């Protein structure tokens, strides 16, 4: 279990899925189960579902997130959505730099850094995603990749700016593959991430940042992942679309390490 300084966060990433009616239905189920959740709960939904899900979640502790944003405030940026538009529509969070965006849409650390600035300025809680590919892991580049992504993504911000920061460690080889990192692999990487955060802004800062694990989190493996000292929550893709599975993840059970 993570430090009492860091409240666990269970966040669903719905990706490009669900109709409006399905979104509303799933959001209702999450809202109804929120009171018995083991931590803070969030759903990160497609742009088109934000307004409808915000309506469902009104007055509930469940946070609403987007899956991306563009750093400019407004203007001629066809197809893009600004941080201010997200808060206006009811979002409190945003996923930034997800590996699917990095890979399929060529997002760089520099872009993630600009998006982070816009998110913080708008008062959104950013979930900055990092993680190595299988090839990088197999060629011993994991630590270098994580170090570069953290340094590049967080560049130029003071610790006070980053008080809401959430980092999600998502090994690319574990995303949507059913191949979860072992609890020991997750803990090892999370410890490394925290050391990088300490290198940037000191131990106090590092121990206050929530580091989520993502990559094939399921109802079956969530308890053993959450039992790791530096795993402060989960970013959940596939299993967040299944009501029963996500509700079980929200209510993960603490397996206290000896
Ligand atoms: P997954 O996705 O749980 O389906 O592996 C996680 C993510 O991409 O955030």
């Amino acid at each position: 279990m993570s430090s009492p300084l860091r409240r666990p966060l269970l966040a669903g990433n719905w990706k490009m899925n669900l109709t409006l009616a399905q979104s509303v239905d799933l959001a209702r189920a999450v809202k109804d189960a929120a009171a018995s959740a083991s931590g803070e709960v969030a759903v990160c939904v497609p742009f088109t579902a934000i307004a409808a899900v915000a309506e469902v979640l009104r007055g509930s502790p469940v946070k609403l997130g987007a899956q991306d944003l563009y750093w400019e405030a407004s203007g001629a940026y066809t197809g893009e959505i600004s941080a201010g538009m997200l808060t206006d529509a009811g979002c409190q969070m945003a996923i930034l730099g997800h590996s699917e965006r990095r890979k399929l849409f060529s997002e760089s650390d520099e872009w993630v850094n600009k998006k982070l600035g816009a998110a913080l300025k708008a008062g959104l809680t950013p979930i900055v995603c990092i993680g190595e590919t299988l090839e990088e892991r197999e060629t011993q580049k994991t630590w270098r990749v994580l170090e570069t992504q953290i340094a590049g993504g967080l560049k130029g911000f003071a610790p006070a700016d980053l008080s809401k920061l959430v980092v999600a460690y998502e090994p690319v080889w574990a995303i949507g593959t059913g191949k979860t990192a072992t609890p020991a692999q997750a803990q090892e990487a999370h410890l490394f991430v925290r050391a990088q955060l300490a290198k940037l802004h000191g131990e106090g800062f590092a121990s206050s940042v929530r580091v989520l694990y993502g990559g094939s989190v399921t109802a079956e493996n969530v308890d053993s992942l959450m039992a790791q000292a530096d795993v402060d929550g989960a970013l959940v893709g596939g299993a967040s679309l299944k009501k029963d599975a996500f509700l079980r993840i929200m209510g993960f059970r603490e397996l206290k390490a000896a």
Side-chain angles (χ1 to χ4, degrees):
M1 206 27 232
S2 75
S3 152
L5 278 177
R6 305 185 298 268
R7 185 165 179 228
L9 172 61
L10 296 314
N13 173 10
W14 293 0
K15 308 195 179 182
M16 195 175 76
N17 291 294
L18 307 182
T19 62
L20 268 185
Q22 290 167 333
S23 300
V24 164
D25 187 52
L26 183 54
R28 274 204 191 108
V30 171
K31 177 186 177 176
D32 290 345
S36 52
S38 309
E40 188 177 23
V41 175
V43 288
C44 299
V45 310
F47 291 135
T48 48
I50 289 171
V53 171
E55 193 56 40
V56 172
L57 298 181
R58 191 188 297 270
S60 102
V62 177
K63 299 289 191 303
L64 176 56
Q67 300 168 14
D68 188 25
L69 56 78
Y70 191 61
W71 60 79
E72 295 291 348
S74 62
Y77 304 100
T78 302
E80 296 298 318
I81 304 284
S82 71
M85 291 164 84
L86 295 179
T87 55
D88 182 50
C91 283
Q92 296 96 23
M93 293 191 173
I95 296 173
L96 304 175
H98 190 279
S99 68
E100 285 150 17
R101 298 222 54 90
R102 291 177 187 264
K103 177 162 182 262
L104 302 172
F105 304 98
S106 307
E107 283 201 10
S108 61
D109 291 324
E110 198 189 338
W111 277 41
V112 175
N113 187 252
K114 287 180 170 183
K115 291 180 177 198
L116 176 60
L120 294 171
K121 201 167 158 207
L124 289 165
T125 295
I127 303 177
V128 174
C129 300
I130 56 172
E132 80 287 0
T133 63
L134 183 60
E135 195 210 331
E136 287 160 349
R137 176 160 281 260
E138 285 175 345
T139 52
Q140 280 72 51
K141 295 195 187 105
T142 299
W143 307 138
R144 200 188 313 159
V145 167
L146 297 181
E147 184 176 7
T148 304
Q149 289 176 335
I150 292 168
L154 306 188
K155 194 170 162 186
F157 297 105
D161 301 328
L162 299 172
S163 61
K164 289 184 173 179
L165 176 71
V166 176
V167 174
Y169 168 63
E170 300 203 300
V172 179
W173 47 271
I175 295 178
T177 57
K179 196 169 178 268
T180 321
T182 63
Q185 282 174 323
Q187 170 58 22
E188 184 187 28
H190 283 225
L191 201 56
F192 179 83
V193 168
R194 213 173 293 288
Q196 297 309 302
L197 295 172
K199 206 168 80 182
L200 279 181
H201 295 306
E203 296 287 346
F205 171 74
S207 63
S208 72
V209 176
R210 289 183 288 186
V211 183
L212 315 184
Y213 169 79
S216 298
V217 174
T218 63
E220 289 72 35
N221 62 27
V222 66
D223 296 345
S224 57
L225 288 161
M226 290 303 297
Q228 303 305 308
D230 288 282
V231 176
D232 307 315
L235 184 54
V236 187
S240 76
L241 298 169
K242 298 179 204 137
K243 218 177 276 181
D244 292 349
F246 193 61
L247 264 46
R248 174 63 181 82
I249 289 167
M250 285 165 58
F252 75 88
R253 293 171 199 143
E254 273 181 42
L255 301 174
K256 196 74 201 117

